[in-house]
Amino acid sequence: MDAERELCALKLAGCLPPELVAHAAEEMAREREEAARVLYVAATRARDLLVVTAVGDERHDGWLGALSPALYPPPERSRDPETQQPPGCPPFGMDSVAVRPPGTLRPAGSVMPGLHRPEAGSHRVVWWDPAVLKRDVQESVGLVQHRLLEADASGARSEEGIRQHAEWQAERTRVREAASQPSLRVVTATEQAASVGDEELSVAVESVGPDGARPHGKRFGTLVHAVLARVDLDADRPGVETVAALEGRLLGATREEIAAASESVERALAHPLLRRAAVAARAGRCRRETPVAMRLPDGVLVEGVVDAAFRDGDGWTVLDFKTDVEITGRVEEYKRQVALYAQAIERATGVAARGVLLRV
């Protein structure tokens, strides 16, 4: 356990981390210390009588092992109890083990049932004879219920209990109904953009589309987005290809998809908007993959992640990258989405912001 780094090494599927193997002795010491703490808490909770399970034939190591000196008599007195009928107990037999195979000899030091003085402490310990215990006794539930009814012959207590239970049920229903109503409704910018009606939006749509055919599909779109999110805005072709190769490997993309993504990102980086973003980035005025949130007039909280936003002489310019497959038939919806991002940034910074959809 590394409390400072909030790390814990555990055995998993029969395998141990090297750190746990190297510090096995320390971990065992900690386990023993923890067992001692748990045992202390358990033992000191007893007020009048402490019942402990133990084996009369021998002492066993374990978390109860620390109590052994306070339970077991010295070996030379293990068969010589002060009495075999302690106060409040029935007469005991000669063996503290319930079942012993025929012909098996009792080991030296086996404790005889009775009242013993242990090795440590001035108290006394009663070693019970398991033969006199009534084991596997089933509780008579019907008898208990009958006694409860006899104690409330007039029915006053039961009626009061019914009333209190009805009140509890009513309060429980009220609390659950109140708790089922969300105190805050949160939607993504994508969901909000898809749900609102058609309104006039001042969002520009720019394009750096491919010169010819290229791969399509969700994986390719995800790859292009991932490269645009991580590549340096001033990166050259080798730099773009390095990032594309890494992201493509993570996504399991084909060579054709990686090559096409590199070309698409290189064209996007050459677009005037991203050249302005690169200049702003060098001045510390560009944000990429930045989460934003905004509360609408109806109380709904809209949240999303902005692909890129930069500030220059024209205020904030908010960019949202879309591939041709993504944007087909959904231009207005995506314009509403980037408009929400621009509105959130303008409200948060107090500086005018405009949104741009950039097709890559």
Side-chain angles (χ1 to χ4, degrees), residues 103-314:
T104 303
L105 297 178
R106 294 175 60 182
S110 178
V111 182
M112 180 181 292
L115 185 66
H116 289 269
R117 179 175 181 177
E119 290 181 342
S122 58
H123 61 286
R124 297 296 185 268
V125 177
V126 175
W127 279 80
W128 203 268
D129 181 357
V132 302
L133 290 174
K134 294 182 179 180
R135 291 172 288 179
D136 302 324
V137 177
Q138 298 296 324
E139 182 181 2
S140 177
V141 178
L143 181 59
V144 173
Q145 292 177 339
H146 181 70
R147 291 174 178 172
L148 289 174
L149 292 174
E150 286 181 346
D152 187 28
S154 64
R157 294 174 60 183
S158 59
E159 290 296 331
E160 177 64 17
I162 292 173
R163 185 190 63 78
Q164 292 179 358
H165 182 257
E167 291 180 354
W168 172 82
Q169 283 187 317
E171 178 66 11
R172 176 174 175 267
T173 301
R174 185 194 65 79
V175 171
R176 293 186 67 177
E177 289 178 352
S180 66
Q181 302 300 319
S183 58
L184 182 65
R185 180 169 173 256
V186 182
V187 298
T188 65
T190 304
E191 293 171 334
Q192 181 66 17
S195 64
V196 298
D198 297 330
E199 66 268 9
E200 199 66 30
L201 298 171
S202 58
V203 174
V205 179
E206 302 281 344
S207 179
V208 289
D211 297 330
R214 70 175 185 183
H216 299 286
K218 183 177 181 180
R219 182 172 62 189
F220 178 72
T222 302
L223 175 58
V224 172
H225 275 274
V227 178
L228 281 169
R230 290 162 179 77
V231 72
D232 191 296
L233 296 179
D234 289 317
D236 55 9
R237 180 59 182 265
V240 174
E241 290 177 341
T242 298
V243 177
L246 174 60
E247 297 298 332
R249 186 175 181 181
L250 293 174
L251 294 170
T254 65
R255 292 183 179 180
E256 292 75 12
E257 289 173 330
I258 294 174
S262 299
E263 294 178 2
S264 298
V265 172
E266 187 178 14
R267 283 194 299 270
L269 293 179
H271 191 279
L273 282 172
L274 284 180
R275 299 319 314 143
R276 289 167 55 192
V279 173
R282 290 193 289 272
R285 295 183 176 181
C286 181
R287 301 291 183 268
R288 302 169 68 186
E289 295 298 311
T290 302
V292 295
M294 175 181 63
R295 192 185 295 273
L296 299 179
D298 59 1
V300 174
L301 184 69
V302 179
E303 60 181 13
V305 178
V306 175
D307 288 340
F310 63 89
R311 181 180 176 183
D312 53 15
D314 295 335

Side-chain angles (χ1 to χ4, degrees), residues 3-32:
E4 294 183 357
R5 295 189 295 169
E6 298 183 349
L7 297 176
C8 178
L10 299 173
K11 184 176 181 180
L12 182 63
C15 301
L16 291 173
E19 296 83 358
L20 189 56
V21 175
H23 298 84
E26 298 176 23
E27 290 301 316
M28 287 300 298
R30 290 176 180 174
E31 289 289 340
R32 286 192 293 268

